[in-house]
Amino acid sequence: MTSADETPEELTPEQAAHGLAAERERRLGHIDSLRQAGTNPYPYRFDRTHTLGEVREAFGQLEAGNETTQSVTVAGRILLKRDQGKLIFCTLRDRGNEIQLFISKSVVGDEQFDAINDFDLGDWVGVTGLVMTTRKGELSVKVETAMLLSKAVRPLPDKWHGLTDVDTRYRQRYADLIINEEARRTFEVRHATIASFRKTLHDQKFIEVETPVLHMEVGGAHARPFITHHNTLDMQLFLRIALELHLKRLIVGGMERVFEIGRVFRNEGISTRHNPEFTMMESYQAYGDYTEVMALTELLITNAARESLGTTTVTINDEQFDLAQPWRKVRMIDLASEATGETLHPSMPVDAVRKIAAQHKVKTEGHWGSGRIIEEIFAELAEGTLQQPTFVTGHPVEISPLARADRNDPHLTERFELFIGAREIANGYSELNDPIEQRVRFEDEQKSKAAGDHEAGSMDEDYLRALEFGMPPTAGLGIGIDRLVMLLSAAGSIKDVILFPTLRPEAK
């Protein structure tokens, strides 16, 4: 057995594969031997009295060289094992903590000592014994009895070199979580972030709801959908690309403050920022506008940082920023104008805006109007500069079919996108609640779709019918949970914060 202070030599892939096969065969043989001896290597259950965290909490201050009379029954996976003749030391880990097992032949007897010595790294075991500390002060359980709970057939990834192939880390997340403390921490941050969102929204009197994943129409965002088919009804359905339209139907129904945390699906490319399925939080509140939602966004994200990290200070591209500071607000057209040195506005002739885009090597499509081209100029030339939290406001009407027109400029909308670290984190707006204008916006989208815009939404007649029953002034918000967790955990890729990201098929 390799000791904790030895680093094995690097193996070639061929040597590693051969060694893995041989080790697997050895362990399968051990399983056969156990069964022949009447031992089930996969028992049905095990009752523990304490988690390892509870043991540490209760006895963490125990002085070196002390042994208590407290017996505990604990369980976990063996990560390290050292055989020192008549003593065996193991490191046991459960969900959140590690503890040392102190196994003495004089305590457990020869037969059980040999059985424990046959435990392999990666095996799940349960033990009963007294809490103690070694002379060096290591909190331990002095084992009296031990039981194999699950025999690991496949050895753990190498402790030092780990899973060196990034795709293998994501594909075999179970192995990554065993050996990678950073991965485990990332998903603790994710859990704390979502829990914080729920608490903050509950405190703000929002009700959590669930809406359909299968939609008859595409809407709520600009994105290509995944298409499926319902056999019994013999109808085409779409996996939702947003939560929006069903949540706003609930505002029409009088629920006033609703939110949902759910998976959405967009048939787009895969990158460090994009995964075809991801998690959104969307909230809608009656009687408010987009300024109120911007305040809610700051509250949600600042609380999430505080509760997942213990601080509101985050690192953004190697620079620290306190989220508790006021966030910048700036219009999209002003950022695009600053980047080009030309005054830009959606009311301009489209040819003039396209000419400015071409001068700055920004590619455009023939069916785009002035507003869509301005958005592309912003995305190409200005978005990458938005490192500290920035609310980009005043989006053109053309790219905001569900947002209400700005009360001071009919060519713009009361909409914002939040950028942190040059990544879009959130999107919100004063909701369009005029059914007549909404129908016109949908019709414009259909024209764009006919002209080749595959991301344009459908004509959702049921949503229009809902609006005709009357929706009060409403403000909506969408926050990408995955990108926010990337920020809080300092992850470099969206795959790092999704337990099982979408990957290409594994090579056979």
Side-chain angles (χ1 to χ4, degrees), residues 459-498:
M459 176 68 77
D460 192 332
E461 290 289 351
D462 181 70
Y463 177 67
L464 291 170
R465 177 169 57 194
L467 287 185
E468 289 179 357
F469 278 95
M471 185 172 79
T474 298
L477 168 65
I479 296 179
I481 296 294
D482 311 282
R483 288 187 182 178
L484 177 57
V485 176
M486 286 177 66
L487 168 72
L488 298 179
S489 64
S493 169
I494 197 170
K495 294 184 178 70
D496 291 327
V497 302
I498 296 175

Side-chain angles (χ1 to χ4, degrees), residues 29 44 54 64 93 109 152 194 219 233 239 264 338 409 478 498 501 506:
Y44 283 92
E54 289 168 343
R93 182 202 289 152
I194 294 173
L233 297 178
L239 297 185
V264 296
E338 181 181 324
D409 187 337
I498 296 175
E506 188 172 4

Side-chain angles (χ1 to χ4, degrees), residues 39 41 103 119 128 137 175 184 201 336 371 488:
T39 298
I103 303 112
F119 290 164
T128 298
R184 294 194 299 275
L201 288 164
L488 298 179

Side-chain angles (χ1 to χ4, degrees), residues 63-312:
E63 293 183 359
N66 279 323
E67 181 177 320
T68 73
T69 59
Q70 176 66 52
S71 177
V72 296
T73 299
V74 296
R77 186 193 292 274
I78 296 177
L79 296 182
L80 293 172
K81 190 177 78 168
R82 291 181 289 120
D83 179 3
Q84 296 187 349
K86 294 184 179 182
L87 290 176
I88 299 172
F89 296 91
C90 295
T91 298
L92 191 72
R93 182 202 289 152
D94 66 4
R95 172 180 170 178
N97 281 273
E98 296 179 1
I99 207 164
Q100 179 172 267
L101 302 182
F102 178 93
I103 303 112
S104 170
K105 181 179 283 192
S106 63
V107 174
V108 300
D110 292 351
E111 183 177 346
Q112 187 165 202
F113 187 84
D114 291 341
I116 293 172
N117 215 6
D118 283 337
F119 290 164
D120 288 302
L121 301 189
D123 286 354
W124 292 85
V125 300
V127 303
T128 298
L130 300 178
V131 179
M132 60 167 283
T133 52
T134 63
R135 285 174 299 191
K136 293 183 178 180
E138 183 71 30
L139 186 64
S140 307
V141 174
K142 187 176 183 180
V143 175
E144 297 172 348
T145 62
M147 176 181 181
L148 180 66
L149 302 182
S150 179
K151 184 67 184 175
V153 175
R154 186 178 292 265
L156 298 180
D158 184 277
K159 178 177 182 290
W160 293 268
H161 304 127
L163 296 173
T164 55
D165 180 72
V166 175
D167 260 15
T168 302
R169 280 189 54 221
Y170 302 139
R171 198 181 308 279
Q172 299 180 22
R173 181 67 82 186
Y174 37 84
D176 183 42
L177 291 170
I178 294 170
I179 63 170
N180 188 344
E181 184 176 352
E182 184 178 345
R184 294 194 299 275
R185 177 188 168 276
T186 294
F187 291 105
E188 289 169 0
V189 169
R190 184 184 180 105
H191 163 74
T193 297
I194 294 173
S196 173
F197 268 42
R198 285 195 163 100
K199 181 178 183 301
T200 299
L201 288 164
H202 179 267
D203 291 344
Q204 297 292 316
K205 310 303 181 185
F206 283 82
I207 297 172
E208 184 170 11
V209 298
E210 294 175 303
T211 61
V213 171
L214 295 174
H215 286 188
M216 296 178 64
E217 304 289 349
V218 180
H222 275 185
R224 289 193 181 198
F226 285 94
I227 302 172
T228 187
H229 185 82
H230 192 290
N231 292 334
T232 300
L233 297 178
D234 190 22
M235 63 185 293
Q236 177 177 271
L237 292 168
F238 306 93
L239 297 185
R240 65 186 179 190
I241 61 172
L243 313 175
E244 179 168 346
L245 297 185
H246 281 86
L247 291 175
K248 289 197 289 193
R249 286 169 167 90
L250 300 180
I251 299 295
V252 171
M255 296 185 74
E256 293 195 3
R257 290 197 169 202
V258 296
F259 80 96
E260 180 173 6
I261 299 174
R263 274 291 216 247
V264 296
F265 308 84
R266 297 183 183 179
N267 201 346
E268 301 170 339
I270 296 175
S271 71
T272 57
R273 300 187 186 189
H274 297 90
N275 193 66
E277 56 175 313
F278 57 98
T279 302
M280 287 287 293
M281 188 292 300
E282 291 197 28
S283 68
Y284 294 86
Q285 57 194 88
Y287 313 119
D289 66 12
Y290 77 132
T291 61
E292 198 169 355
V293 174
M294 279 191 271
L296 177 62
T297 304
E298 289 197 49
L299 179 65
L300 283 164
I301 293 177
T302 303
N303 282 353
R306 184 180 294 110
E307 292 172 26
S308 64
L309 305 178
T311 178
T312 58

